Amino acid sequence: MLRGQKVAFRASKRDLERLWACNRESARVWNECLRLAKDYFLQYGRRISKSELQKQTKGRFHLHSQSIQAVCHKYLFARQSAQAAIQKGLHHARYPYKQKKLFNTKWAKDGFKVYENGTIALSMGIHDGTREEPILVHVSHLPKGTIKEIECCYNHSWYLAITYDDGREAKAYQPGRSVGVDLGEIHTIGAFCENGQALLITGRKVRSLHRLRNKKLADIQRRQSKCQKGSRRWKKYERAKRYLLSKSERQLRDALHKTTKQFVDWCLAQSVSDVYMGNVEGIQRNTKKKVHRKQAQKLSNWSFGKVKQYLAYKLAQQGIRLKEIDESYTSQTCPVCQKRRKSSTRIFACSCGYQEHRDIHGARNILSKALYQEMVPWDMPTMLTYLRIA
Ligand SMILES: [Zn+2]
């Protein structure tokens, strides 16, 4: 199965400068894609094709030919997603239009060579008949498997986003039970299986890690603000900040790995074959009001995205299908009388007498919406398993 991993690397000063140049050049390719697509549309009244876009960009940039193609593919992918979103009626969706100054450069199969000592040679291709000397980067550990693609990224610091095949076969799909999943802050995962089994995995660990990180970060920033920018002490705090961020991200990631593993194990115990998840894009729920909004949102977006990513891989490995469904009103609708209300407490209680733990209520409504296209009551008693992570 294909997997992704971020890896830090070292490179000479000169090669780092060349990587900056690559990402600037990739941005030029992106901007050129925008221009070509626009001109093509104005001239012919239809959208530029993949082959046309590749023909028009080929050999015109100071990059490996596959690196240029990779930008074209990203442009086409962005255009396709925008089209799908527009067709769905999402009003904020737009076709790609933003000019870029930097764009991650990608090296595909023929564009790089990996040596056993951790050195990776990134090819710059042939220009004016001569093969340019490759950029050398050194990593301390490589993911186990066959490396398929390497993307060079900068976000506070340099790293490689490596796509690789871990050599493991995914299990085949076998029809079984269905489960609805609700992601949240209080409980990272709330789930309900059609056999009446429910699961709550507390998000306490994730929340406390996040809180601690923010507290320490604020502390460093307060001290740093008293120093002259660029001074030795300022730089010391800058290093401390980077260290804190990478350490806390590791801890958070570890906690989310454990959480998603617990969920997948539970699914296997229930003979689950299909998991339905609400489409959480841009939605923020179950957040304590006291938490500063901006911070809360940061945690949600980051951790929801990660949970989704980990679930997608871990479930696929077990032959379990993961589907996203439109979750609107699933948390607010009473399945018995269809009345809508917003719950401010942990329990969703309706005037008709129905009541349920809010996160199980949400997961069960997502499941019934997926199976029956409407929210219906379940005539089976709910058995709850409650899990926390160490
Ligand atoms: Zn009701």
Side-chain angles (χ1 to χ4, degrees):
M1 287 179 70
L2 283 187
R3 308 189 69 170
Q5 194 176 322
K6 284 185 191 177
V7 180
F9 66 87
R10 285 177 296 110
S12 70
K13 203 175 167 193
R14 180 169 162 264
D15 276 345
L16 278 181
E17 270 161 24
R18 292 171 76 201
L19 286 174
W20 279 120
C22 282
N23 284 7
R24 280 195 298 270
E25 191 72 353
S26 291
R28 279 187 56 217
V29 181
W30 172 267
N31 297 340
E32 183 64 2
C33 284
L34 296 177
R35 191 189 69 79
L36 285 168
K38 194 176 167 188
D39 288 357
Y40 192 91
F41 190 80
L42 290 176
Q43 194 173 349
Y44 300 104
R46 55 198 157 83
R47 274 188 257 137
I48 194 164
S49 67
K50 182 175 164 184
S51 54
E52 188 65 27
L53 193 61
Q54 281 177 351
K55 204 173 97 194
Q56 301 254 4
T57 47
K58 193 178 173 182
R60 289 180 46 207
F61 297 89
H62 194 97
L63 288 168
H64 188 275
S65 60
Q66 287 177 348
S67 303
I68 300 172
Q69 275 183 20
V71 182
C72 296
H73 290 164
K74 276 203 182 166
Y75 169 78
L76 293 166
F77 182 75
R79 190 176 78 179
Q80 201 184 349
S81 334
Q83 189 185 9
I86 289 164
Q87 275 171 353
K88 258 198 219 164
L90 295 172
H91 48 84
H92 63 265
R94 272 192 77 171
Y95 285 105
Y97 67 98
K98 239 185 200 157
Q99 298 264 329
K100 303 203 190 252
K101 284 189 176 133
L102 288 169
F103 197 88
N104 297 339
T105 305
K106 196 188 255 183
W107 281 269
K109 52 185 189 224
D110 304 325
F112 63 86
K113 222 181 239 168
V114 181
Y115 298 95
E116 264 177 40
N117 64 357
T119 298
I120 301 174
L122 302 169
S123 169
M124 292 300 293
I126 300 163
H127 303 282
D128 304 325
T130 36
R131 179 169 289 280
E132 189 177 323
E133 143 196 28
I135 298 175
L136 295 179
V137 296
H138 311 278
V139 301
S140 53
H141 68 279
L142 284 164
K144 288 188 191 78
T146 318
I147 296 180
K148 299 283 187 191
E149 276 177 0
I150 297 175
E151 198 170 329
C152 193
C153 318
Y154 187 86
N155 185 10
H156 301 298
S157 63
W158 282 105
Y159 63 90
L160 302 175
I162 297 182
T163 308
Y164 67 103
D165 188 341
D166 64 5
R168 281 199 259 175
E169 290 278 339
K171 280 192 198 150
Y173 172 81
Q174 277 205 335
R177 296 197 176 105
S178 294
V179 156
V181 171
D182 195 23
L183 305 182
E185 300 258 335
I186 305 297
H187 295 102
T188 310
I189 292 179
F192 184 83
C193 180
E194 58 180 323
N195 64 2
Q197 293 285 339
L199 173 75
L200 287 176
I201 306 178
T202 174
R204 191 178 298 160
K205 176 88 179 180
V206 175
R207 287 200 312 278
S208 88
L209 282 172
H210 198 257
R211 235 184 344 252
L212 191 69
R213 185 193 87 155
N214 283 345
K215 197 168 154 268
K216 284 184 177 169
L217 191 63
D219 190 47
I220 297 173
Q221 271 163 344
R222 191 170 41 81
R223 285 158 193 260
Q224 194 182 30
S225 68
K226 290 176 190 153
C227 311
Q228 177 123 37
K229 193 176 171 180
S231 68
R232 242 179 61 209
R233 283 188 41 179
W234 186 90
K235 280 181 187 159
K236 193 183 99 188
Y237 288 127
E238 196 62 17
R239 275 198 300 277
K241 213 156 77 180
R242 264 213 299 275
Y243 175 73
L244 172 72
L245 287 175
S246 73
K247 186 179 160 196
S248 58
E249 199 182 306
R250 249 189 341 265
Q251 288 171 325
L252 276 165
R253 210 177 281 173
D254 182 56
L256 294 178
H257 265 304
K258 283 180 179 155
T259 304
T260 48
K261 178 167 190 315
Q262 282 181 327
F263 172 72
V264 174
D265 288 346
W266 178 82
C267 284
L268 291 173
Q270 315 301 326
S271 310
V272 168
S273 63
D274 293 83
V275 172
Y276 297 95
M277 189 163 72
N279 187 345
V280 290
E281 194 195 355
I283 295 174
Q284 189 192 1
R285 305 148 306 146
N286 295 4
T287 308
K288 269 191 189 165
K289 287 224 174 68
K290 265 186 251 162
V291 183
H292 191 269
R293 277 197 86 110
K294 222 171 165 184
Q295 283 175 6
Q297 195 159 10
K298 254 187 181 167
L299 172 62
S300 321
N301 291 346
W302 188 84
S303 62
F304 284 158
K306 282 281 171 223
V307 168
K308 224 154 121 178
Q309 186 191 332
Y310 294 166
L311 282 182
Y313 174 75
K314 288 182 176 143
L315 290 171
Q317 212 175 16
Q318 300 298 336
I320 300 173
R321 288 179 185 161
L322 176 66
K323 287 182 206 120
E324 276 185 48
I325 67 153
D326 173 21
E327 69 168 0
S328 26
Y329 307 117
T330 48
S331 63
Q332 299 168 22
T333 310
C334 168
V336 177
C337 67
Q338 305 298 317
K339 230 185 271 167
R340 277 184 201 161
R341 57 168 293 139
K342 280 187 181 163
S343 171
S344 54
T345 62
R346 298 268 191 108
I347 302 289
F348 180 96
C350 181
S351 53
C352 74
Y354 165 88
Q355 66 171 49
E356 183 56 276
H357 189 290
R358 191 176 57 185
D359 296 337
I360 296 172
H361 162 80
R364 192 164 59 193
N365 270 347
I366 285 172
L367 179 63
S368 74
K369 205 173 171 188
L371 296 181
Y372 312 115
Q373 286 74 50
E374 55 178 344
M375 288 162 257
V376 294
W378 227 264
D379 49 11
M380 220 179 289
T382 299
M383 305 283 286
L384 174 66
T385 310
Y386 193 86
L387 297 175
R388 65 185 78 236
I389 49 167

